[in-house]
């Protein structure tokens, strides 16, 4: 064939390269040699140049697949142009179907929006059927509607609001959550929903304990604190120059004035309280200065508070010196000794000595004084006694103390320990030792060591001190996991004892519940892999993984910071490391741990046996009343006698015979009005009710005396911690008076009126005129900061 024939014949464009609308190839076709006489005009169906995708329609007239233009028509309506099929190669039916399918896949921006469905009408209020049936939805709904708002709720819950839902039903809202709560909190009392339709006091109490309500209260307090600070700042800006000088330059004198203002504010409530309880403790500061700290529990209005009173300097720490300093201070502030009903100490011999202790000396003056050994100290001493009785556990103390010293004294070991934690434990914790003077020291140290045990094993692998042989022993790890579980349970009890306000009606129950759980898990349980009775979480996981003698290989795996997998294996050996030759099987390990559990339960019950004397406080908690009337009266009489005997029958201002006459009506009123309130909350509510004070004066007086009894010296320990923070090594020269003033300013969280502080500052002593540095005018404290007639320059002009 000639070359001219090859030139005249043009290949058709490929089918898979055709567009939908303009039928132009997506991929560049072979350009034919035959050129058209004139370029064809663009068709209406071809895509415009600015269009990005060739499959997008050009005309907005096509709203569906049925309106799509046909590509096989001869002419396009409204134009004289030939159809696409006449200009280009014909498109078969399959290509058209593919194009149609692709057309329908793209959303059309001009399509009308879907119509919203009409809202459903509100359902009619349910009507009760004949005889309310709680299982019937209509009857249950009717019971909810029938409930009403109790007026007493507004007094007990001032933030409670009564609102109305869209359907006209009443609902409850929380004003605090509405204003300061989170919009995404899942509570109907807040910004979400129309309100809580369950008009019950139980629903309100559940809302009080929710995290959303507590966070809203914190936000409200923070907002009020910010507003108070702003008001104080605004008043300071407009105040006289003496106030500015007091804040700017009078550090020691200003601190003294603020401390005196706080002391006067505190003494007004302390001296007017019907009964007072005190807690004392003695200690030394960083430069070996001897101090005795004093806290007082008293009534501020209708609420019981425990506050720092004074830091007293002592020369000697014997009982006679401490008693003399304490009595001298109480006499200086004008506190009557007969109004002191309780005293708490740390149990040291100088405090609780039977013949010449501080408590014994005070009881000779105050016959009704109730002395209490700190319950937190007693619980810590019980754990110490149990550990000393089981000598097999001494190796645990040796291991934890040695590991803490190894990591704490070497920067290289500390850095390696941190790196191994990130690889094998994914934690960043510090090694913790066991200290005899810390309440939670033993339990927290064991739990911390178990958390970082993989990193500790890897770190001790090449240590020459023999710690690696100890930590890889099966019996040692068995006892580690056991102690972590049982001491953590004991730490929960100690944490409850360290609360600022301990409910005396539940203290004995807390001790009994803790001892019963330990008994069920570790004393009355089986041996072997069943030791712990399913309640020991860490020990249970350890026994499940390595309880069998054939499965003593431990594989530690992790990932380093570069993403590389790291692993380390070791075998739990059967050799003993404490010098004994007994076996390390499951039964022998369970015998040692069960022995410790028995000693711990006995020691806790023995140390805290005197808490049973507080059982009489259940008289003031209606939840504990028997349901039968006769049994309730008999039990309440027994509790009243026990409370009266707690003070030796010599409580001033109390008459037991008259209290017995008030008892029957008092218990009935408690059952009807304050059944769900606690010990301190119920007391605050009754003291705000004048009718209760007139009807039951003697029972309420006994209630007030019991409420101020201090059970621990936890606040004293917190005060000494604050002392060490203020008097650091860099501030070791602080005087005792200045240290006490700074502690009072830090520990007493009062709303301070700065103009009253300035009044106290002015009234302490005559002061020289102060210079207002902003206006260069000398001002006087006595004339309220009024400037003189002529300004006095700070620098004399030359010449």
């Amino acid at each position: 064939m000639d070359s001219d024939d090859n030139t005249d014949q043009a290949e058709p464009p490929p089918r898979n390269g055709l567009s939908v609308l303009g039928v132009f190839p997506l991929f560049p076709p072979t350009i034919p040699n035959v050129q058209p006489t004139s370029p064809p005009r663009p068709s209406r169906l071809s895509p415009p140049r600015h269009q990005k995708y060739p499959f997008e329609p050009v005309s907005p007239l096509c709203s569906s697949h049925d309106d799509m233009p046909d590509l096989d028509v001869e002419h396009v309506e409204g134009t004289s142009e030939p159809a696409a099929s006449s200009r280009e190669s014909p498109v078969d039916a399959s290509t058209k179907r593919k194009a149609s399918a692709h057309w329908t896949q793209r959303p059309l921006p001009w399509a009308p929006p879907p119509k919203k469905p009409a809202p459903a009408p509100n359902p009619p209020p349910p009507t009760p059927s004949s005889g309310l049936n709680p299982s019937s939805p209509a009857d249950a709904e009717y019971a909810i509607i029938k409930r009403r708002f109790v007026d007493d709720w507004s007094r007990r819950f001032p933030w409670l609001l009564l609102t109305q839902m869209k359907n006209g039903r009443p609902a409850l809202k929380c004003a605090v959550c509405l204003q300061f709560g989170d919009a995404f909190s899942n509570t109907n009392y807040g910004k979400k929903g129309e309100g809580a339709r369950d008009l019950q006091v139980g629903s309100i109490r559940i809302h009080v304990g929710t995290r959303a309500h507590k966070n809203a209260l914190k936000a409200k307090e923070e907002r009020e604190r910010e507003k108070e600070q702003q008001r104080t700042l605004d008043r300071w800006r407009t105040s006289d120059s003496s106030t500015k000088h007091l804040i700017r330059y009078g550090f020691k004198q200003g601190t003294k004035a603020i401390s005196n203002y706080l002391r006067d504010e505190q003494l007004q409530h302390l001296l007017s309280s019907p009964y007072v309880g005190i807690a004392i403790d003695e200690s030394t500061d960083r430069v070996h200065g001897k101090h005795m700290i004093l806290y007082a529990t008293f009534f501020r209005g209708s609420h019981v508070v425990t506050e720092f009173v004074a830091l007293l300097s002592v020369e000697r720490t014997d009982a006679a010196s401490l008693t003399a300093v304490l009595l001298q201070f109480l006499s200086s502030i004008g506190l009557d000794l007969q109004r002191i009903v309780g005293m708490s100490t740390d149990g040291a011999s100088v405090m609780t000595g039977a013949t010449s202790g501080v408590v014994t000396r005070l009881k000779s003056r105050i016959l009704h004084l109730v002395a209490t050994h700190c319950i937190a100290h007693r619980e810590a001493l019980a754990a110490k006694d149990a550990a000393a009785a089981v000598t097999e556990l001494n190796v645990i103390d040796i291991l934890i103390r040695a590991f803490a010293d190894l990591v704490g004294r070497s920067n290289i070991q500390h850095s390696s320990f941190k790196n191994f934690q990130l690889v094998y434990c994914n934690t960043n914790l510090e090694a913790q030792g066991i200290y005899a003077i810390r309440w939670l020291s033993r339990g927290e140290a064991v739990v911390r060591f178990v958390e970082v045990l993989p990193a500790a094993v890897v770190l001790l692998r090449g240590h020459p001190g023999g710690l690696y042989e100890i930590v890889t022993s099966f019996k040692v790890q068995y006892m580690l996991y056991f102690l972590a579980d049982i001491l953590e349970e004991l730490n929960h009890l100690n944490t409850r004892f360290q609360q600022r306000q301990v409910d005396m009606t539940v203290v004995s129950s807390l001790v009994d519940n803790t001892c019963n759980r330990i008994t069920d898990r570790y004393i009355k349980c089986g041996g072997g892999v069943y030791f712990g009775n399913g309640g020991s979480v860490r020990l249970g996981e350890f026994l499940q993984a390595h309880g069998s003698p054939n499965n003593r290989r431990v594989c530690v795996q992790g990932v380093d910071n570069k993403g590389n997998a790291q692993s380390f294996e070791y075998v739990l050996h059967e050799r003993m490391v404490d010098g004994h030759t007994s076996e390390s099987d499951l039964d022998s390990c369970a015998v040692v741990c069960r022995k410790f559990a028995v000693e711990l339960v006995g020691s806790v019950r023995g140390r805290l046996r005197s808490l049973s004397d507080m059982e009489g406080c259940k008289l003031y908690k209606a939840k504990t009343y028997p349901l039968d009337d006769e049994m309730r009266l008999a039990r309440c009489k027994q509790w009243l006698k026990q409370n009266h005997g707690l003070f030796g029958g010599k409580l001033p201002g109390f008459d037991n015979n008259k209290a017995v006459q008030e008892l029957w009506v008092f218990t009935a009123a408690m059952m009807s009005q304050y059944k769900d309130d606690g010990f301190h909350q119920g007391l605050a509510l009754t003291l705000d009710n004048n009718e209760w004070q007139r009807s039951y004066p003697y029972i309420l007086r006994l209630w007030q005396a019991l409420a101020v009894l201090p059970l621990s010296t936890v606040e004293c320990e917190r005060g000494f911690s604050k002392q060490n923070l203020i008097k650091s090594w860099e501030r070791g020269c602080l005087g005792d008076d200045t240290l006490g003033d700074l502690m009072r300013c830090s520990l007493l969280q009062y709303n301070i009126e700065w103009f009253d502080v300035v009044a106290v500052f002015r009234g302490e002593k005559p002061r020289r005129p102060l210079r207002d540095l902003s206006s260069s005018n000398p001002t006087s404290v006595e004339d309220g900061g009024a400037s003189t007639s002529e300004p006095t320059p700070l620098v004399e002009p030359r010449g």
Side-chain angles (χ1 to χ4, degrees), residues 194-205:
E194 301 182 26
R197 63 175 185 172
D198 192 4
L199 273 66
Q200 285 185 336
V201 68
S203 176
I204 304 174
R205 292 185 181 278

Side-chain angles (χ1 to χ4, degrees), residues 730-752:
E730 292 78 9
R731 305 174 69 184
C733 294
L734 277 177
D736 294 338
D737 295 339
T738 305
L739 178 60
D741 294 336
L742 291 174
M743 290 182 61
R744 183 176 289 108
C745 295
S746 178
L747 293 172
L748 298 183
Q749 303 295 330
Y750 293 170
N751 293 327
I752 298 178

Side-chain angles (χ1 to χ4, degrees), residues 386-405:
V390 183
T391 58
E392 291 85 349
L393 297 178
N394 294 337
V395 64
I396 304 298
D397 293 357
I398 295 174
L399 173 63
I400 294 177
R401 286 194 175 100
F403 181 77
D405 292 341

Side-chain angles (χ1 to χ4, degrees), residues 386-399 442 470 473 475-480 482-483 576-583 588-596 599:
V390 183
T391 58
E392 291 85 349
L393 297 178
N394 294 337
V395 64
I396 304 298
D397 293 357
I398 295 174
L399 173 63
R442 186 178 302 275
I470 298 177
S473 171
K475 189 170 185 178
V476 169
Q477 291 200 9
Y478 186 102
M479 292 186 295
L480 274 173
F482 162 75
L483 289 176
M576 291 301 296
V577 295
D578 54 356
H580 300 281
T581 58
S582 59
E583 297 84 1
S588 63
C589 295
V591 168
V592 176
C593 295
R594 186 178 285 109
K595 180 181 178 182
F596 176 79
E599 293 289 340

